[in-house]
Amino acid sequence: MRQPDGDIYTPRLWAEGRMGYCGIVDFTNPDAVAWWRGKHGPLLDIGVDAFKTDFGEEIPADAVLYNGKTGPEIRNVYAKLFQRIAFDAVRERYGRGLIWGRAGFAGMRRCPAHWSGDPKCTYEDLAATIRAGLAAGLSGIPMWSHDIGGFWGTPAPDLYIRWAQFGLLSTLSRCHGLTHRDPWEFGDEAVEIFRWFARLRYRLIPYFYSTALDAAETGLPVMRAMVLDHPDEPGMTLADGQYYLGDSL
């Protein structure tokens, strides 16, 4: 992308300045798309079968793109263009695609799957993450997940356990954050409970598969807000701390 005066846009990645200056690939430029798509080839050749399409939402307001659009005009669509390239590259190689996307816009359900981004390691953020998953499901994104334990900071053992119970019964399960998220980092009780829920998850794989197939065919999310199944029952629109996992749990 370019600045209004024609110079290449080189913003800092992350507002905290943790990473250096970088260019932003202009996915409205066919040459840029071909170049970026080609970067996936060597990784696919060695067996990579999914890509994490992190970021995609930080588009400067005064950026100018190849197709003449500005930052505000392309901001939402950009994430879709970004993720589609990686998804199509995987699908072309393996017959089915999979990414781990962060930013999103209408139609992103066609490029599963997605996760919530970077919550803090607090109970408030765990609650917010549950609400985010319910909102994603109601917005047409059936395959959605999150970072077990939260991303920013280090979770207390009790929070890690609770988040793991939620995460191991989510579409995809990933322990990820700025510090270690291995269960043995949080004590013997965490290991015991994590192991129990991991085994439960694998016993439920046929159920997860059937629910995912149902989501693909009908659009119904795996993580379903109560109001989706009970639209006429009083209070269900406020039930944001509980949900159905498929249609039987």
Side-chain angles (χ1 to χ4, degrees):
M1 295 184 189
R2 295 188 177 271
Q3 302 179 56
D5 62 6
D7 286 344
I8 295 174
Y9 225 119
T10 53
R12 268 194 186 276
L13 184 61
W14 291 14
E16 295 85 358
R18 292 172 175 268
M19 300 180 73
Y21 291 101
C22 63
I24 306 175
V25 182
D26 184 348
F27 292 126
T28 70
N29 185 331
D31 291 338
V33 171
W35 172 79
W36 183 254
R37 176 70 178 267
K39 294 294 183 182
H40 295 74
L43 297 169
L44 293 166
D45 289 342
I46 62 172
V48 172
D49 58 5
F51 292 99
K52 177 182 175 180
T53 49
D54 206 352
F55 293 95
E57 73 276 7
E58 296 188 16
I59 307 303
D62 58 346
V64 179
L65 287 89
Y66 176 84
N67 67 353
K69 300 291 186 181
T70 63
E73 292 175 304
I74 203 68
R75 183 178 184 271
N76 288 337
V77 178
Y78 185 83
K80 191 173 180 178
L81 298 174
F82 170 37
Q83 296 178 24
R84 188 83 215 187
I85 295 169
F87 180 84
D88 285 347
V90 175
R91 184 169 61 176
E92 183 179 294
R93 180 64 62 94
Y94 296 107
R96 62 178 65 187
L98 179 68
I99 61 169
W100 187 247
R102 166 169 150 171
F105 186 56
M108 287 314 306
R109 60 179 176 78
R110 298 185 181 92
C111 301
H114 295 85
W115 99 102
S116 68
D118 303 338
K120 296 179 181 178
C121 300
T122 68
Y123 273 103
E124 290 79 8
D125 280 62
L126 170 58
T129 300
I130 293 173
R131 295 188 193 104
L134 299 179
L138 292 173
S139 300
I141 301 175
M143 310 297 180
W144 176 93
S145 198
H146 47 93
D147 291 343
I148 290 176
F151 180 82
W152 294 105
T154 300
D158 58 310
L159 174 63
Y160 177 83
I161 290 170
R162 197 73 179 119
W163 211 313
Q165 292 169 326
F166 169 41
L168 288 166
L169 293 181
S170 295
T171 308
L172 298 168
S173 300
R174 178 175 77 150
C175 301
H176 179 66
L178 282 182
T179 56
H180 293 297
R181 292 291 182 274
D182 305 296
W184 46 86
E185 298 285 340
F186 300 92
D188 293 341
E189 182 183 28
V191 172
E192 181 180 352
I193 295 174
F194 191 101
R195 180 184 290 118
W196 193 94
F197 274 87
R199 287 173 171 166
L200 173 62
R201 176 182 182 81
Y202 277 90
R203 291 199 301 273
L204 287 172
I205 285 296
Y207 178 75
F208 269 106
Y209 189 92
S210 299
T211 302
L213 181 62
D214 187 39
E217 293 180 343
T218 68
L220 285 172
V222 175
M223 182 179 177
R224 301 178 188 176
M226 302 299 291
V227 69
L228 194 60
D229 281 11
H230 305 283
D232 299 321
E233 188 170 329
M236 286 298 98
T237 57
L238 301 178
D240 60 0
Q242 65 188 68
Y243 57 92
Y244 284 108
L245 182 64
D247 58 9
S248 299
L249 293 176

